[in-house]
Amino acid sequence: MSIFGIDVSRFQGNIDWAEVKRAGVEFAMLRAGFGSGSIDVQFRRNAEGCCAEGIPFGVYWFSYAYTPDMARQEARQCLETIEDYRVEYPVCIDFEQDSVRYAQTKGVTVTKELATRIVEEFCGEVEDRGYFAMYYSNLDFLERMFDERLREKYALWFARYAREPGIDGIAMWQYTESGSVRGIAGDVDLNLAFYDLAEVIRRGGLNHLK
């Protein structure tokens, strides 16, 4: 089973969600924001567009946390941003190389243990508040920066631009950053979900869905 989706942020500009729906997109992951409370300027428009067209969506938050406490605070800000919307897919932390570089500008070297704790604190806060948590990673970070214990705890959104993901047990696969979808100008990330995350969330009574 695979379900076709996209992930978008302000970089995709004003999206025609009716066209996206007609193009066969079955779900979307929307950037809700980044860092310490910075909401993506297109988030509300994107969320409302998805709701209007009946496209289930989840969200991700690009993390600039360099302490576990900052990660929890980012999670709270993310959940406050999305609380007025019907979020049927996961709430995801995106911690990657730009996150590490930012920490370095603050005099913090991100170790494997610190990167792992940041994901755990963000996802822990998400779960504590009744949402389905997920984390994003490429192969480099999966092997070098994230402890294996994360895969035992949380769903993984895996980025690998290839014919196959190359690993098992992932929830979602981002397989290209240069896709094309009607209704979106320019390149867009394309994804496959390998099981019905919306159904799992509904059955689990998560994401405050009614």
Side-chain angles (χ1 to χ4, degrees):
M1 176 187 188
S2 61
I3 304 169
F4 174 58
I6 58 175
D7 64 270
V8 299
S9 68
R10 71 175 180 85
F11 299 109
Q12 278 68 50
N14 289 334
I15 294 171
D16 184 337
W17 285 102
E19 281 294 300
V20 169
K21 175 78 168 182
R22 284 191 283 271
V25 169
E26 297 173 276
F27 75 90
M29 293 295 292
L30 313 179
R31 187 174 77 160
F34 55 94
S36 182
S38 297
I39 299 171
D40 187 293
V41 296
Q42 289 289 348
F43 170 67
R44 299 201 186 281
R45 186 181 187 281
N46 286 337
E48 287 158 13
C50 285
C51 290
E53 298 303 325
I55 301 171
F57 71 90
V59 298
Y60 68 96
W61 194 270
F62 193 96
S63 178
Y64 286 108
Y66 50 88
T67 70
D69 285 346
M70 289 174 71
R72 276 211 174 252
Q73 184 59 33
E74 286 184 344
R76 293 186 196 108
Q77 291 162 337
C78 178
L79 297 175
E80 288 167 7
T81 302
I82 68 176
E83 64 185 357
D84 293 333
Y85 299 98
R86 183 178 175 83
V87 178
E88 297 181 72
Y89 265 66
V91 175
C92 181
I93 180 173
D94 183 2
F95 185 91
E96 51 185 278
Q97 195 57 46
D98 280 347
S99 315
V100 172
R101 280 194 286 266
Y102 179 76
Q104 287 173 339
T105 69
K106 301 299 180 180
V108 175
T109 298
V110 178
T111 62
K112 186 172 188 174
E113 181 59 24
L114 178 55
T116 301
R117 283 286 312 285
I118 284 168
V119 170
E120 286 177 324
E121 291 299 317
F122 185 100
C123 290
E125 184 70 19
V126 168
E127 290 187 337
D128 288 349
R129 298 196 178 213
Y131 286 83
F132 185 102
M134 184 166 70
Y135 71 109
Y136 175 93
S137 183
N138 57 24
L139 187 61
D140 174 49
F141 264 55
L142 206 60
E143 294 178 342
R144 186 172 57 86
M145 295 299 289
F146 293 144
D147 190 275
E148 290 181 3
R149 69 181 187 260
L150 291 179
R151 294 195 67 189
E152 299 170 5
K153 293 181 175 183
Y154 310 115
L156 172 61
W157 179 10
F158 185 60
R160 186 183 184 210
Y161 307 145
R163 290 182 178 273
E164 300 289 341
I167 63 171
D168 296 323
I170 62 176
M172 195 182 296
W173 174 33
Q174 184 187 79
Y175 62 90
T176 183
E177 61 182 349
S178 53
S180 177
V181 170
R182 199 164 65 245
I184 300 176
D187 292 341
V188 61
D189 297 340
L190 303 182
N191 299 269
L192 293 175
F194 291 126
Y195 56 92
D196 191 341
L197 286 155
E199 179 65 14
V200 170
I201 287 166
R202 278 194 300 273
R203 286 186 177 179
L206 301 171
N207 291 19
H208 303 274
L209 298 178
K210 296 176 183 178

